[in-house]
Amino acid sequence: MNMVIEKQIPLLDLRAQHKQIREEVMTALARVVDSQKFILGEEVQKFEAEIASYCEAKHAVGCASGSDALSLALMALDVRPGDEVLTTPYTFFATAGAISRLGAVPVFVDVEAETFNLDVNRIADLLDSRPRIRAVIPVHLFGGCADMDPICSLAAARGIPVIEDAAQSIGSEYRNRRAGSIGRIGCFSFFPSKNLGGYGDGGMLTTNDSSLAERLAALRVHGRTGKYFHQWVGINSRLDALQAAVLRVKFRYLDGWTAGRQQNAERYRAGLAERKVPVIPASPAPYQTRHVYNQFVIRGADRDGLQACLKQRGIGSEVYYPLPLHLQPCFSDLGYKKGDFPVSEKLAAESLALPVHSELAADDIDYICDSIRSFYVRA
Ligand SMILES: Cc1ncc(COP(=O)(O)O)c(C=O)c1O
């Protein structure tokens, strides 16, 4: 018997979002095109000021992507070939890719299952046993902050800076402090699927340190500190004025969209509990005082079967991330093996991100919860 698909619910519905703001975006784009000022300039400066204030940081420096933000942060902190940088294996590739690209070595630490973020209980020993560790990069995964106080104090005790990978977590709060304002440098991405997504690539760095901000601003333009004068070797990584113009429009909606995501997460938790569905839904730790749900992730048995069942019912979902970074072929020379980070490996096998975007209707979520239940009842 063919099942009737009652709904089509994509993981993310950027076209629906664009419809709400189309006029404003087109006006903003026309403004930049008419000005013919495409590189940095006023549009980018205004957006940097808006993001600095939103993230409660003194400075914000736009760049071409979240990946470049991570590279620029490591460069500004003088991480060099052969240095080690501690981070999580359960993240998007760019976190460790940025470390490796500089010739430095990612040193992985397992995560906590409940928060998907660095397990602070495992960091101290590693910092003590590996004196070449020159920086720590906690990732605020899926919209929830890592446990920053212990991470920052362990790092500070050894004179090591902390770089926040906040690519997925704009506006997220740790004990009422904004992501990007807690470590030495915060890195953000405006990839289209992020809560504040551009119409192409884009990124931003935040810091409270004025001299670091100057250095980052120079490094994104080949280390230039004066006309044809280069203090450092940098890269070409500027935030496009067209992207900044779009992002400034979308920024005005960000808090409303975030509230929608938070309500959707609440409805999932209540709906899954009410239906007694045997999955573990994401629930923020007490220190995650503002979770922004770039993803709403559940954990459950037979995740691949569940994903296939949801697909049959017209529901989009995604596995973030199916292969932890310590098991990626490009990092095989680091000497890690299967079983080294059991929590990350378990999460890679069990996690499934469900649609959580603010354009979802309440009955979409009810339909998704019913569909998950029907899968486990059948199984
Ligand atoms: C955790 C994390 N770090 C870094 C990045 C890199 O950002 P971008 O795609 O803008 O280069 C992403 C985005 O995909 C991410 O999710």
Coordinates of all heavy atoms in Angstrom, one line a residue, residues 270-344:
A270 N 7.9 19.0 24.3 CA 6.6 18.7 24.8 C 6.0 17.6 24.0 O 5.5 16.6 24.6 CB 5.7 19.9 24.9
G271 N 6.0 17.7 22.7 CA 5.3 16.8 21.8 C 5.9 15.4 21.9 O 5.2 14.4 21.9
L272 N 7.2 15.3 22.0 CA 7.9 14.0 22.0 C 7.7 13.3 23.4 O 7.4 12.1 23.4 CB 9.4 14.2 21.7 CG 9.8 14.6 20.3 CD1 11.3 15.0 20.2 CD2 9.5 13.5 19.3
A273 N 7.7 14.1 24.4 CA 7.4 13.6 25.8 C 6.0 13.1 25.9 O 5.8 12.0 26.4 CB 7.7 14.7 26.8
E274 N 5.1 13.9 25.4 CA 3.6 13.5 25.5 C 3.4 12.2 24.7 O 2.6 11.4 25.2 CB 2.9 14.6 24.7 CG 1.4 14.8 25.0 CD 1.0 16.0 24.2 OE1 1.3 17.2 24.6 OE2 0.4 15.8 23.1
R275 N 4.1 12.0 23.6 CA 3.9 10.8 22.8 C 4.8 9.6 23.3 O 4.8 8.6 22.6 CB 4.1 11.1 21.3 CG 3.1 12.0 20.7 CD 3.6 12.5 19.3 NE 2.6 13.4 18.7 CZ 2.5 14.7 19.0 NH1 3.2 15.2 20.0 NH2 1.6 15.4 18.3
K276 N 5.5 9.9 24.3 CA 6.4 8.9 24.9 C 7.3 8.3 23.8 O 7.5 7.1 23.7 CB 5.6 7.8 25.6 CG 4.8 8.3 26.8 CD 4.2 7.2 27.6 CE 3.6 7.5 28.9 NZ 2.8 8.8 28.9
V277 N 7.9 9.1 23.0 CA 8.8 8.7 21.9 C 10.2 8.4 22.5 O 10.7 9.2 23.3 CB 8.9 9.8 20.8 CG1 9.8 9.3 19.7 CG2 7.5 10.1 20.3
P278 N 10.7 7.2 22.2 CA 12.0 6.9 22.8 C 13.2 7.5 22.1 O 14.1 6.9 21.6 CB 12.1 5.3 22.6 CG 11.3 5.1 21.4 CD 10.2 6.2 21.3
V279 N 13.2 8.9 22.1 CA 14.4 9.6 21.6 C 14.8 10.6 22.7 O 14.0 11.0 23.5 CB 14.1 10.3 20.3 CG1 13.8 9.4 19.2 CG2 13.1 11.4 20.4
I280 N 16.1 11.0 22.6 CA 16.5 12.1 23.5 C 16.6 13.4 22.8 O 17.4 13.6 21.9 CB 17.9 11.7 24.1 CG1 17.9 10.4 24.7 CG2 18.4 12.8 25.1 CD1 19.3 9.8 25.1
P281 N 15.7 14.3 23.1 CA 15.7 15.6 22.4 C 16.8 16.5 23.0 O 17.1 16.4 24.2 CB 14.3 16.2 22.6 CG 13.8 15.5 23.9 CD 14.6 14.3 24.1
A282 N 17.3 17.5 22.2 CA 18.3 18.4 22.7 C 17.6 19.2 23.9 O 16.5 19.7 23.7 CB 18.6 19.4 21.6
S283 N 18.3 19.3 25.0 CA 17.8 20.2 26.1 C 19.0 21.0 26.6 O 20.0 20.3 27.0 CB 17.1 19.5 27.2 OG 17.1 18.2 27.1
P284 N 19.0 22.3 26.6 CA 20.1 23.1 27.0 C 20.6 22.8 28.5 O 19.7 22.6 29.3 CB 19.7 24.5 26.9 CG 18.4 24.5 26.1 CD 17.8 23.1 26.2
A285 N 21.9 22.8 28.7 CA 22.4 22.7 30.1 C 22.1 24.1 30.8 O 21.9 25.1 30.1 CB 23.9 22.5 30.0
P286 N 22.0 24.0 32.1 CA 21.7 25.3 32.8 C 22.5 26.5 32.5 O 22.0 27.6 32.5 CB 21.8 24.9 34.3 CG 21.8 23.4 34.3 CD 22.2 22.9 33.0
Y287 N 23.8 26.2 32.1 CA 24.6 27.4 31.8 C 24.4 27.9 30.4 O 24.8 29.0 30.0 CB 26.1 27.1 32.0 CG 26.6 25.9 31.2 CD1 26.8 25.9 29.8 CD2 26.9 24.7 31.8 CE1 27.3 24.8 29.1 CE2 27.4 23.6 31.1 CZ 27.5 23.7 29.7 OH 28.0 22.6 29.0
Q288 N 23.6 27.2 29.6 CA 23.3 27.7 28.2 C 22.0 28.5 28.4 O 20.9 28.1 28.1 CB 23.1 26.5 27.3 CG 24.4 25.7 27.0 CD 24.2 24.4 26.2 OE1 23.2 23.7 26.4 NE2 25.1 24.1 25.3
T289 N 22.2 29.8 28.8 CA 21.1 30.6 29.2 C 20.3 31.1 28.0 O 19.2 31.6 28.1 CB 21.5 31.7 30.1 OG1 22.7 32.3 29.5 CG2 21.8 31.3 31.5
R290 N 20.9 31.1 26.8 CA 20.1 31.4 25.6 C 20.6 30.5 24.5 O 21.6 30.7 23.9 CB 20.3 32.9 25.2 CG 19.3 33.3 24.0 CD 19.4 34.8 23.8 NE 18.4 35.3 22.9 CZ 18.6 35.8 21.7 NH1 19.8 35.9 21.2 NH2 17.6 36.2 21.0
H291 N 19.8 29.5 24.2 CA 20.1 28.5 23.1 C 19.4 29.0 21.9 O 18.2 29.4 21.9 CB 19.6 27.1 23.5 CG 20.3 26.0 22.7 ND1 20.2 25.9 21.3 CD2 21.1 25.0 23.1 CE1 20.9 24.9 20.9 NE2 21.4 24.3 22.0
V292 N 20.1 29.1 20.7 CA 19.5 29.7 19.5 C 19.1 28.7 18.5 O 18.6 29.1 17.4 CB 20.3 30.9 19.0 CG1 20.5 32.0 20.0 CG2 21.7 30.4 18.5
Y293 N 19.3 27.4 18.8 CA 18.8 26.3 17.9 C 19.0 26.5 16.4 O 18.1 26.5 15.6 CB 17.3 26.1 18.1 CG 17.0 25.6 19.5 CD1 16.5 26.5 20.5 CD2 17.3 24.3 19.9 CE1 16.4 26.0 21.8 CE2 17.2 23.9 21.2 CZ 16.7 24.7 22.1 OH 16.5 24.3 23.4
N294 N 20.3 26.7 16.1 CA 20.6 26.6 14.6 C 20.2 25.2 14.2 O 19.8 25.1 13.0 CB 22.1 26.8 14.4 CG 22.5 26.8 13.0 OD1 23.3 26.0 12.5 ND2 21.8 27.6 12.1
Q295 N 20.3 24.2 15.0 CA 19.8 22.9 14.7 C 19.0 22.4 16.0 O 19.5 22.7 17.1 CB 20.9 21.9 14.4 CG 21.8 22.3 13.3 CD 21.0 22.4 11.9 OE1 19.9 21.8 11.8 NE2 21.6 23.1 11.0
F296 N 18.0 21.7 15.8 CA 17.3 20.9 16.9 C 17.6 19.5 16.6 O 17.2 18.9 15.7 CB 15.8 21.2 16.9 CG 15.2 20.5 18.0 CD1 15.2 21.0 19.3 CD2 14.6 19.2 17.9 CE1 14.6 20.4 20.4 CE2 14.0 18.6 18.9 CZ 14.0 19.1 20.2
V297 N 18.4 18.9 17.5 CA 19.0 17.6 17.3 C 18.4 16.6 18.3 O 18.4 16.8 19.5 CB 20.5 17.6 17.3 CG1 21.1 16.2 17.2 CG2 21.1 18.5 16.2
I298 N 17.9 15.4 17.8 CA 17.5 14.4 18.7 C 18.5 13.2 18.5 O 19.2 13.1 17.6 CB 16.1 13.9 18.4 CG1 16.0 13.4 16.9 CG2 15.1 15.0 18.6 CD1 14.7 12.6 16.6
R299 N 18.5 12.3 19.6 CA 19.3 11.1 19.5 C 18.4 9.9 19.7 O 17.5 10.0 20.5 CB 20.3 11.1 20.6 CG 21.4 12.2 20.4 CD 22.5 12.0 21.4 NE 22.1 12.5 22.7 CZ 22.4 11.9 23.8 NH1 23.1 10.7 23.9 NH2 22.0 12.4 25.0
G300 N 18.5 8.9 18.8 CA 17.7 7.7 18.9 C 18.3 6.5 18.3 O 19.2 6.6 17.5
A301 N 17.7 5.4 18.6 CA 18.1 4.1 18.0 C 17.7 4.1 16.5 O 16.7 4.7 16.2 CB 17.5 2.9 18.8
D302 N 18.4 3.3 15.7 CA 18.2 3.2 14.3 C 17.9 4.5 13.6 O 16.9 4.7 13.0 CB 17.0 2.2 14.1 CG 16.8 1.8 12.6 OD1 17.7 2.2 11.8 OD2 15.8 1.2 12.2
R303 N 18.8 5.4 13.8 CA 18.7 6.8 13.3 C 18.5 6.8 11.8 O 17.7 7.5 11.3 CB 20.0 7.6 13.7 CG 20.0 9.0 13.3 CD 20.7 9.3 12.0 NE 21.8 8.6 11.6 CZ 23.1 8.9 12.1 NH1 23.3 9.9 12.8 NH2 24.1 8.2 11.6
D304 N 19.3 5.9 11.1 CA 19.1 5.9 9.6 C 17.8 5.4 9.2 O 17.2 6.0 8.2 CB 20.2 5.0 9.0 CG 21.6 5.6 9.2 OD1 21.7 6.8 9.6 OD2 22.6 4.9 9.1
G305 N 17.2 4.4 9.9 CA 15.8 4.0 9.6 C 14.8 5.1 9.9 O 13.9 5.3 9.1
L306 N 15.0 5.8 11.0 CA 14.1 6.9 11.3 C 14.2 8.0 10.2 O 13.2 8.5 9.7 CB 14.5 7.5 12.6 CG 13.8 8.8 13.0 CD1 12.3 8.6 13.1 CD2 14.3 9.4 14.3
Q307 N 15.4 8.3 9.7 CA 15.6 9.3 8.7 C 14.9 8.9 7.4 O 14.2 9.7 6.8 CB 17.1 9.6 8.4 CG 17.2 10.8 7.5 CD 18.7 11.2 7.2 OE1 19.6 10.3 7.2 NE2 18.9 12.5 7.0
A308 N 15.0 7.7 7.1 CA 14.4 7.2 5.8 C 12.8 7.2 6.0 O 12.1 7.6 5.1 CB 14.8 5.7 5.6
C309 N 12.3 6.9 7.2 CA 10.9 7.0 7.4 C 10.4 8.4 7.3 O 9.3 8.7 6.7 CB 10.6 6.4 8.8 SG 9.0 6.8 9.4
L310 N 11.1 9.4 7.9 CA 10.7 10.8 7.8 C 10.7 11.2 6.4 O 9.8 12.0 5.9 CB 11.7 11.6 8.7 CG 11.6 11.4 10.2 CD1 12.6 12.3 10.9 CD2 10.2 11.5 10.8
K311 N 11.7 10.8 5.6 CA 11.8 11.2 4.2 C 10.5 10.7 3.5 O 10.0 11.5 2.7 CB 13.1 10.6 3.6 CG 13.4 11.1 2.2 CD 14.7 10.6 1.7 CE 14.8 11.1 0.3 NZ 15.8 10.3 -0.5
Q312 N 10.1 9.5 3.7 CA 8.9 9.0 3.1 C 7.7 9.8 3.4 O 6.8 9.8 2.7 CB 8.6 7.5 3.6 CG 9.4 6.5 2.8 CD 9.0 5.1 3.4 OE1 8.3 5.0 4.3 NE2 9.6 4.1 2.7
R313 N 7.7 10.4 4.6 CA 6.6 11.2 5.0 C 6.8 12.7 4.6 O 6.1 13.6 5.1 CB 6.4 11.1 6.5 CG 5.9 9.8 6.9 CD 5.9 9.6 8.4 NE 5.1 8.4 8.7 CZ 3.9 8.5 9.2 NH1 3.3 9.6 9.5 NH2 3.3 7.4 9.6
G314 N 7.8 13.0 3.8 CA 8.0 14.4 3.3 C 8.7 15.3 4.2 O 8.7 16.5 4.1
I315 N 9.4 14.7 5.2 CA 10.1 15.5 6.3 C 11.6 15.5 6.0 O 12.2 14.4 6.0 CB 9.8 15.0 7.7 CG1 8.2 15.0 7.9 CG2 10.5 15.8 8.7 CD1 7.8 14.1 9.1
G316 N 12.2 16.7 5.9 CA 13.6 16.8 5.7 C 14.3 16.7 7.0 O 13.8 17.1 8.1
S317 N 15.5 16.1 7.0 CA 16.3 16.0 8.3 C 17.7 15.8 7.8 O 18.0 15.7 6.6 CB 15.9 14.8 9.1 OG 16.2 13.6 8.4
E318 N 18.7 15.9 8.7 CA 20.1 15.9 8.3 C 20.9 15.3 9.5 O 20.6 15.4 10.6 CB 20.6 17.3 8.0 CG 22.0 17.3 7.3 CD 22.1 16.5 6.0 OE1 21.7 17.1 5.0 OE2 22.6 15.4 6.1
V319 N 22.0 14.6 9.0 CA 22.9 14.0 10.0 C 24.1 14.9 10.2 O 24.9 15.1 9.3 CB 23.4 12.6 9.6 CG1 24.4 12.1 10.6 CG2 22.2 11.6 9.5
Y320 N 24.2 15.6 11.3 CA 25.4 16.4 11.7 C 26.0 15.7 12.9 O 25.4 15.7 13.9 CB 25.0 17.8 12.1 CG 24.3 18.6 11.0 CD1 22.9 18.9 11.2 CD2 24.9 19.0 9.9 CE1 22.3 19.7 10.3 CE2 24.2 19.7 8.9 CZ 22.9 20.1 9.1 OH 22.2 20.8 8.2
Y321 N 27.1 15.1 12.7 CA 28.0 14.9 11.6 C 28.2 13.4 11.5 O 28.6 12.8 12.5 CB 29.3 15.6 11.8 CG 29.0 17.1 11.8 CD1 28.8 17.8 13.0 CD2 28.9 17.9 10.6 CE1 28.6 19.2 13.0 CE2 28.6 19.2 10.6 CZ 28.4 19.9 11.8 OH 28.1 21.2 11.9
P322 N 28.2 12.7 10.4 CA 28.2 11.3 10.3 C 29.6 10.7 10.6 O 29.7 9.5 11.1 CB 27.8 10.9 8.9 CG 28.0 12.2 8.1 CD 27.8 13.3 9.1
L323 N 30.7 11.4 10.4 CA 32.0 10.9 10.6 C 32.8 11.9 11.4 O 33.2 13.0 10.9 CB 32.7 10.6 9.3 CG 34.1 9.9 9.3 CD1 33.9 8.5 9.9 CD2 34.7 9.8 8.0
P324 N 33.1 11.7 12.7 CA 33.8 12.6 13.5 C 35.2 12.9 12.9 O 35.7 12.1 12.1 CB 34.0 12.0 14.8 CG 33.1 10.8 14.8 CD 32.8 10.4 13.4
L325 N 35.7 14.1 13.2 CA 36.9 14.5 12.5 C 38.2 13.7 12.7 O 39.0 13.5 11.8 CB 37.2 16.0 12.9 CG 36.1 17.0 12.5 CD1 36.6 18.4 12.7 CD2 35.7 16.8 11.1
H326 N 38.3 13.0 13.9 CA 39.5 12.2 14.1 C 39.5 11.0 13.2 O 40.5 10.3 13.0 CB 39.6 11.7 15.6 CG 38.5 10.8 16.0 ND1 37.2 11.2 16.2 CD2 38.5 9.5 16.3 CE1 36.4 10.2 16.6 NE2 37.2 9.2 16.7
L327 N 38.3 10.7 12.5 CA 38.3 9.5 11.6 C 38.3 9.9 10.2 O 38.1 9.1 9.3 CB 37.0 8.6 12.0 CG 37.0 8.1 13.4 CD1 35.7 7.3 13.6 CD2 38.2 7.2 13.7
Q328 N 38.4 11.2 9.9 CA 38.5 11.7 8.5 C 39.8 11.3 7.8 O 40.8 11.4 8.5 CB 38.3 13.2 8.4 CG 37.0 13.7 8.9 CD 35.8 13.4 8.0 OE1 36.0 13.1 6.8 NE2 34.6 13.6 8.5
P329 N 39.7 10.8 6.6 CA 41.0 10.4 5.9 C 42.1 11.4 5.9 O 43.2 11.1 6.1 CB 40.5 10.1 4.5 CG 39.0 10.1 4.5 CD 38.5 10.6 5.8
C330 N 41.7 12.7 5.8 CA 42.8 13.7 5.7 C 43.5 13.9 7.0 O 44.6 14.5 7.1 CB 42.2 15.0 5.2 SG 41.0 15.7 6.4
F331 N 43.0 13.3 8.1 CA 43.6 13.4 9.4 C 44.2 12.1 9.9 O 44.6 11.9 11.0 CB 42.7 14.0 10.5 CG 42.3 15.4 10.3 CD1 41.0 15.8 10.5 CD2 43.2 16.4 9.9 CE1 40.6 17.2 10.3 CE2 42.9 17.7 9.7 CZ 41.6 18.1 9.9
S332 N 44.3 11.1 8.9 CA 44.8 9.8 9.3 C 46.2 9.9 9.9 O 46.6 9.1 10.8 CB 44.7 8.8 8.2 OG 45.5 9.3 7.1
D333 N 47.0 10.9 9.4 CA 48.4 11.0 9.9 C 48.5 11.4 11.4 O 49.5 11.4 12.0 CB 49.2 11.9 9.0 CG 48.7 13.3 9.0 OD1 47.4 13.4 9.2 OD2 49.4 14.3 8.8
L334 N 47.3 11.8 11.9 CA 47.4 12.3 13.3 C 47.4 11.1 14.3 O 47.6 11.2 15.5 CB 46.2 13.2 13.7 CG 46.1 14.5 12.9 CD1 44.8 15.3 13.3 CD2 47.3 15.3 13.0
G335 N 47.1 9.9 13.7 CA 47.2 8.7 14.6 C 46.0 8.3 15.4 O 46.1 7.4 16.3
Y336 N 44.9 8.9 15.2 CA 43.7 8.6 15.9 C 43.1 7.3 15.3 O 43.3 7.0 14.1 CB 42.7 9.7 15.9 CG 43.1 10.9 16.7 CD1 43.5 12.1 16.0 CD2 43.2 10.9 18.1 CE1 43.9 13.2 16.7 CE2 43.6 12.0 18.8 CZ 43.9 13.2 18.1 OH 44.3 14.3 18.8
K337 N 42.3 6.6 16.1 CA 41.6 5.4 15.6 C 40.2 5.4 16.1 O 39.8 6.1 17.1 CB 42.4 4.2 15.9 CG 42.6 4.0 17.4 CD 43.4 2.8 17.7 CE 43.5 2.5 19.2 NZ 43.7 3.7 20.0
K338 N 39.4 4.5 15.5 CA 38.0 4.3 16.0 C 38.0 3.9 17.5 O 38.9 3.1 17.9 CB 37.4 3.2 15.2 CG 35.9 3.3 15.1 CD 35.4 2.4 13.9 CE 34.0 2.7 13.7 NZ 32.9 2.3 14.2
G339 N 37.1 4.5 18.2 CA 37.1 4.1 19.7 C 37.8 5.2 20.5 O 37.6 5.2 21.7
D340 N 38.6 6.1 19.9 CA 39.3 7.1 20.7 C 38.4 8.1 21.3 O 38.7 8.6 22.4 CB 40.3 7.8 19.8 CG 41.6 7.0 19.6 OD1 41.8 6.0 20.3 OD2 42.4 7.4 18.7
F341 N 37.3 8.4 20.7 CA 36.3 9.4 21.2 C 34.9 8.8 21.1 O 34.1 9.2 20.3 CB 36.5 10.7 20.4 CG 37.9 11.3 20.5 CD1 38.7 11.3 19.3 CD2 38.4 11.7 21.7 CE1 40.0 11.8 19.4 CE2 39.7 12.2 21.7 CZ 40.5 12.2 20.6
P342 N 34.7 7.9 22.1 CA 33.4 7.2 22.1 C 32.1 8.0 22.1 O 31.2 7.6 21.4 CB 33.5 6.3 23.3 CG 34.6 6.7 24.1 CD 35.5 7.5 23.3
V343 N 32.2 9.1 22.8 CA 30.9 9.9 22.8 C 30.7 10.6 21.4 O 29.6 10.5 20.9 CB 31.0 11.0 23.9 CG1 29.7 11.8 24.0 CG2 31.3 10.4 25.3
S344 N 31.7 11.1 20.8 CA 31.5 11.7 19.5 C 31.1 10.6 18.5 O 30.2 10.9 17.7 CB 32.9 12.3 19.0 OG 33.3 13.3 19.8

